[in-house]
Amino acid sequence: MDDFRERLVTLEASIAATLPTLATKEDLQRELVSVRSAIGEQTWKIVGWVTLAGGLLVAAVYYISRHSY
């Protein structure tokens, strides 16, 4: 029975030490909003770079086709 009590005390101490570091629903919601915002920003940066690269490729092909004689 002493072994059981020692293990229970150890478990309670472990839970008491871990409990304050757990995230609440509010913490998770705040992080979710932050992540969604960052993903939106990155998406528009990627769209911009792909559009720029496509435009440059079109310009290069046009230049080569007009000046290759």
Side-chain angles (χ1 to χ4, degrees):
M1 194 66 155
D2 282 339
D3 183 46
F4 177 74
R5 288 188 191 276
E6 289 176 21
R7 290 176 55 196
L8 183 60
V9 168
T10 304
L11 181 61
E12 287 175 344
S14 176
I15 290 173
T18 305
L19 197 57
T21 62
L22 296 178
T24 63
K25 287 183 180 181
E26 182 180 311
D27 295 335
L28 294 175
Q29 185 64 31
R30 191 177 320 120
E31 287 300 316
L32 181 62
V33 168
S34 173
V35 167
R36 285 183 178 169
S37 173
I39 288 173
E41 291 173 10
Q42 289 296 325
T43 300
W44 285 111
K45 287 179 185 178
I46 291 169
V47 167
W49 279 105
V50 168
T51 303
L52 176 66
L56 289 174
L57 287 173
V58 168
V61 168
Y62 179 79
Y63 178 81
I64 291 170
S65 69
R66 289 292 178 198
H67 297 91
S68 64
Y69 304 149

